[in-house]
Amino acid sequence: MEFSDEILLHILSYVPCTDLVLNVRRTCRKLATLCLDKSLTHTVLLQKDYKVNKDKVKQLMRDIGKEIYQLNMAGCYWLPSSTIDHVTRCKNLVKLNLSGCHVTSLRLSKMLSTLQHLRSLAIDVNPGFDASQLSSECKATLSRVSELKQTLYTPSYGVVPCCTSLEKLLLYFEILDRSREGFMLSGQLMVGESNVPHYQNLRVFYARLAPGYVNQEVVRLYLAVLSDRTPENLHAFLISAPGSFAETGATKNLLDSMARNVRLDALQLPKAWINGSGLLQHLKFNNPFYFSFSRCTLSGGHLIQRVINGGKDLKSLTSLNLSGCVHCLAPESLFRKAEDDIDSSILESLVVSCCNLRHLNLSAAHHHSSESIGNHLCQLLSRLKHLLSLALPVCSITDVAANVEKPPSASNLVPQTFGRKVRIGIQTYPRNLSDLVNQKIDSSVFWALMRSLRFLETLEIIGSSFSSAMPRNEPAIRNSLPPCVRAQSVGDSEVAAISQLTYLQSLTLAQLPNIITGSGLINIGLECQHLRTLSLANLGMMGKVAYMSALMDMLKHCKCLRDLRLEQPYFCAGAQFFQALSHCSSLQRLCIVSRSGTLQSDAVMSFMANCLEVIMCHMFMGESLTVCKNLQQSIVRRYRLLSPGFSSAQQRLV
């Protein structure tokens, strides 16, 4: 308490605002004053504060409502809709995020009528929303909003037509093709939706579509206005659409208008809009910072000529997504097979021109390096010293020399004569990690890459043919394709190399077939103390979870881990696993997807009793429906009162 006010304020900034106002403030006079400092009450984050309830929100708004300028309640799905009424106390709000909160059009009208200073708004538009119920005072507030994020669960313009001063529009389309009753839905807007959006001041347009034809129909209605008159100040145009999203005459007119009238800084388009067209050759760019060409048939030649203008200096570019672009590192795609070697000169031009890249995604493709010395993909990427996130296919990190076919030695040949049987098994791998490290550390290009990217925060190493059993935006495939041949040599040593990333916060490993013991995971747990998100899928042989022992040893050291996702057939979630998982004291979300997997209900309940921060426990296993239903009821009954935002799902995966 003898620290200066500046130091105490810095410490208090790490405490949730609800704790500051409702608890810490009541301890002494000094803290009572500091907890109400403008630096602590200016921005209130209730997002992911899973223990907050309606009464706490009510008291918080009553105590400091007039001091709040930014309020984030995104994802507070457990709060009743009446909680929103207390936001009216925040008369000086400039920024408000209510994504994930259920708000009716009448309740929204009443609230916005009192927020005359609001400039940024995020809401959901649910079935039953009626823009005609918005009052004139509400529409006056919306007319001053310059930034809008709108998530649509029903075909509607929402409040977009009322926002006449929009500069930034973020749209999320989550409309189902069928109603809960099973009826097919239409993409036509509801009655009373004749007003059209106003885009004349728009600078940023972003749309993310969930799968479904209705989402595509509705987004075309939003784009139709843009095609009539493209805003002169538009500098970011981003559309993320899974699967096929065909180009129409209206969208073609829009892109032609953009090519003539605007200079972009950020671009993302559906693959069908780019493939086979000369669009990239005509679009003009100012100081681009974001490009996404996910799953486009973009060749390396087009990438160099049309995007980075033959090696033009693009130091402004900080994010580049080439996921699924199987030919992006080859000169031409006409006669090339996906498994052929890449052209290292294309990647080198990319690295030299875009030297300030912070986010790079090269996953979902076969990027095989040639035997040329110094031209391996990992060696070239090691020059990007500013990278914070990186996604690579498994086959791209293997050493070329390791994949050269060698004739079997005499000692390995199986005698074809009668006599004592010779036991044929897998190669023996050292359990001691230091022995494993010394085998490859001097020659491995992936070890050198990890050593050069010390500030990397997010890393994804995913097999080129990997397909999740429960994907978000793609159809589930029961039998995925086998791993790439070059990926067969990627195993425990490469996983151990990741432990050099001291500041790593998020790690995804999927379809690494040569994981034998998982010993590299242990070193990651020991060295990567900032790790918060871990996702492991289909490691090693599919019929056996050979890395279970190493995983349990790893989890004992992951004190900061918050999100864990495991996808592995025949996974046994027993007492030993949950006992090791109990060491992850910060864990909030657990998801296990395992066809033919098993679990022990008593072990799950014991784990839940030890890890009080857990708010999501989803397990899709091979257990019977009765076991799943009984376990889910037991968990919900015991822990829903302790944490209002708790979510549990136990289902049989067939």
Side-chain angles (χ1 to χ4, degrees):
M1 292 304 296
E2 295 180 358
F3 284 143
S4 66
D5 288 354
E6 289 76 10
I7 294 178
L8 288 174
L9 286 172
H10 181 72
I11 295 173
L12 293 174
S13 67
Y14 289 91
V15 181
C17 191
T18 50
D19 260 345
L20 287 178
V21 177
L22 304 182
N23 297 321
V24 180
R25 183 166 67 100
R26 307 184 188 283
T27 56
C28 66
R29 291 182 179 178
K30 184 172 184 177
L31 288 179
T33 303
L34 291 177
C35 286
L36 296 180
D37 189 85
K38 290 184 178 181
S39 64
L40 300 178
T41 60
H42 179 276
T43 301
V44 173
L45 302 177
L46 300 182
Q47 183 185 24
K48 297 183 179 181
D49 190 351
Y50 297 102
K51 295 185 178 181
V52 71
N53 54 36
K54 176 183 177 181
D55 293 334
K56 288 184 177 180
V57 175
K58 179 180 179 180
Q59 187 63 42
L60 185 69
M61 301 304 168
R62 181 181 298 173
D63 290 350
I64 62 168
K66 294 181 179 180
E67 308 299 326
I68 302 176
Y69 287 82
Q70 297 186 22
L71 176 61
N72 188 346
M73 297 178 63
C76 294
Y77 51 86
W78 62 90
L79 293 176
S81 56
S82 58
T83 309
I84 306 301
D85 296 339
H86 303 295
V87 177
T88 56
R89 294 180 178 271
C90 307
K91 304 292 185 181
N92 296 315
L93 266 184
V94 176
K95 188 172 185 178
L96 175 62
N97 191 336
L98 296 176
S99 296
C101 300
H102 185 73
V103 185
T104 64
S105 47
L106 285 175
R107 186 159 267 135
L108 180 68
S109 177
K110 178 182 177 182
M111 178 188 64
L112 293 184
S113 297
T114 63
L115 305 180
Q116 300 180 4
H117 302 286
L118 195 67
R119 296 296 180 270
S120 176
L121 176 65
I123 59 169
D124 293 352
V125 177
N126 294 288
F129 181 88
D130 186 358
S132 64
Q133 295 179 341
L134 302 179
S135 66
S136 58
E137 294 82 2
C138 171
K139 293 180 179 179
T141 298
L142 289 172
S143 68
R144 294 186 288 269
V145 169
S146 59
E147 179 179 327
L148 176 66
K149 176 186 175 183
Q150 190 169 259
T151 304
L152 296 162
Y153 295 96
T154 187
S156 172
Y157 277 137
V159 299
V160 173
C162 302
C163 302
T164 56
S165 303
L166 271 183
E167 296 182 8
K168 184 176 183 180
L169 178 60
L170 311 177
L171 298 170
Y172 295 78
F173 296 85
E174 299 285 346
I175 310 169
L176 300 177
D177 288 345
R178 292 180 180 269
S179 65
R180 291 185 177 181
E181 294 77 18
F183 299 112
M184 297 291 292
L185 294 178
S186 170
Q188 297 300 317
L189 299 185
M190 296 181 299
V191 177
E193 293 278 347
S194 58
N195 292 329
V196 296
H198 299 269
Y199 293 145
Q200 58 267 26
N201 298 317
L202 202 63
R203 296 175 54 83
V204 176
F205 181 90
Y206 173 83
R208 191 192 72 183
L209 284 69
Y213 75 94
V214 175
N215 289 313
Q216 296 184 7
E217 286 186 14
V218 177
V219 77
R220 292 187 197 279
L221 297 176
Y222 281 81
L223 294 174
V225 182
L226 275 176
S227 62
D228 291 338
R229 182 181 177 184
T230 306
E232 297 179 357
N233 294 324
L234 187 69
H235 72 94
F237 187 76
L238 311 161
I239 298 181
S240 175
S244 176
F245 186 19
E247 185 181 29
T248 63
T251 55
K252 189 178 186 304
N253 292 337
L254 167 62
L255 297 176
D256 291 341
S257 176
M258 288 171 53
R260 293 191 304 268
N261 302 318
V262 301
R263 301 181 70 89
L264 297 173
D265 292 331
L267 177 67
Q268 178 176 358
L269 296 175
K271 61 180 181 181
W273 298 14
I274 296 180
N275 293 344
S277 71
L279 174 65
L280 294 179
Q281 189 172 2
H282 302 291
L283 285 176
K284 305 180 186 68
F285 301 106
N286 190 22
N287 292 305
F289 61 87
Y290 178 89
F291 283 147
S292 177
F293 304 109
S294 179
R295 302 192 181 279
C296 294
T297 58
L298 185 69
S299 70
H302 291 163
L303 180 66
I304 297 300
Q305 297 171 12
R306 300 180 182 178
V307 179
I308 60 178
N309 296 334
K312 177 185 176 182
D313 183 5
L314 276 183
K315 292 182 179 180
S316 60
L317 193 66
T318 58
S319 183
L320 178 61
N321 183 0
L322 297 173
S323 173
C325 297
V326 295
H327 304 297
C328 67
L329 298 182
E332 297 296 336
S333 59
L334 189 58
F335 302 105
R336 179 182 182 271
K337 296 181 180 180
E339 296 81 8
D340 290 346
D341 290 347
I342 64 172
D343 186 338
S344 58
S345 64
I346 293 176
L347 181 58
E348 186 172 16
S349 298
L350 184 66
V351 169
V352 172
S353 301
C354 311
C355 57
N356 289 325
L357 276 178
R358 294 178 178 269
H359 311 282
L360 177 62
N361 190 340
L362 295 173
S363 63
H366 296 274
H367 295 314
H368 297 169
S369 299
S370 64
E371 298 183 32
S372 303
I373 299 176
N375 291 327
H376 194 282
L377 178 141
C378 291
Q379 293 173 315
L380 295 174
L381 293 184
S382 63
R383 304 180 190 177
L384 299 174
K385 303 299 183 182
H386 302 286
L387 277 181
L388 296 178
S389 68
L390 177 64
L392 295 174
V394 176
C395 56
S396 71
I397 69 173
T398 182
D399 291 293
V400 179
N403 292 281
V404 178
E405 294 185 1
K406 299 179 181 179
S409 61
S411 60
N412 291 332
L413 295 176
V414 182
Q416 302 298 323
T417 59
F418 295 102
R420 185 178 179 182
K421 294 181 179 180
V422 178
R423 183 176 181 182
I424 306 299
I426 60 175
Q427 179 184 354
T428 302
Y429 276 72
R431 176 66 177 173
N432 189 341
L433 189 63
S434 60
D435 296 338
L436 184 66
V437 169
N438 293 332
Q439 292 178 2
K440 286 192 173 183
I441 190 171
D442 294 331
S443 58
S444 171
V445 291
F446 185 64
W447 271 88
L449 175 63
M450 295 294 96
R451 189 164 53 246
S452 66
L453 302 179
R454 288 298 181 91
F455 297 104
L456 202 67
E457 296 177 355
T458 301
L459 176 65
E460 296 181 3
I461 306 294
I462 303 176
S464 304
S465 55
F466 172 74
S467 178
S468 173
M470 299 186 68
R472 169 66 175 88
N473 285 330
E474 297 176 0
I477 301 176
R478 184 179 180 89
N479 296 317
S480 60
L481 297 173
C484 173
V485 175
R486 290 208 183 188
Q488 300 288 346
S489 62
V490 177
D492 295 315
S493 177
E494 284 72 22
V495 173
I498 299 173
S499 63
Q500 299 175 95
L501 303 176
T502 308
Y503 300 99
L504 188 66
Q505 296 183 19
S506 178
L507 174 64
T508 300
L509 301 175
Q511 203 181 37
L512 276 67
N514 202 33
I515 296 294
I516 307 299
T517 65
S519 52
L521 295 173
I522 304 175
N523 218 33
I524 293 176
L526 288 169
E527 302 297 332
C528 303
Q529 287 296 301
H530 297 281
L531 190 64
R532 295 189 175 190
T533 301
L534 176 64
S535 178
L536 306 177
N538 295 2
L539 303 186
M541 295 183 295
M542 297 298 290
K544 182 181 179 182
V545 189
Y547 62 93
M548 176 63 86
S549 178
L551 174 62
M552 291 189 294
D553 288 344
M554 174 195 187
L555 292 175
K556 295 176 182 178
H557 306 288
C558 297
K559 303 300 182 183
C560 295
L561 191 66
R562 294 185 179 180
D563 299 273
L564 175 63
R565 188 183 191 278
L566 301 172
E567 181 174 339
Q568 188 82 29
Y570 303 99
F571 190 89
C572 178
Q576 289 184 326
F577 168 74
F578 281 109
Q579 186 177 2
L581 191 59
S582 297
H583 289 83
C584 303
S585 55
S586 300
L587 192 69
Q588 293 183 343
R589 285 166 288 272
L590 171 65
C591 180
I592 303 178
V593 180
S594 179
R595 184 174 286 114
S596 302
T598 60
L599 61 85
Q600 294 183 16
S601 298
D602 293 342
V604 176
M605 297 302 295
S606 177
F607 156 72
M608 293 295 299
N610 292 329
C611 294
L612 300 179
E613 298 296 322
V614 174
I615 54 90
M616 191 199 85
C617 181
H618 290 184
M619 288 180 281
F620 306 92
M621 315 287 280
E623 295 288 354
S624 66
L625 292 175
T626 302
V627 171
C628 295
K629 183 177 180 180
N630 291 339
L631 177 57
Q632 180 167 343
Q633 289 177 347
S634 299
I635 294 177
V636 172
R637 187 165 49 244
R638 181 175 300 184
Y639 298 103
R640 178 61 61 85
L641 294 177
L642 296 177
S643 179
F646 183 78
S647 172
S648 175
Q650 282 72 39
Q651 297 182 16
R652 175 178 172 81
L653 185 64
V654 295

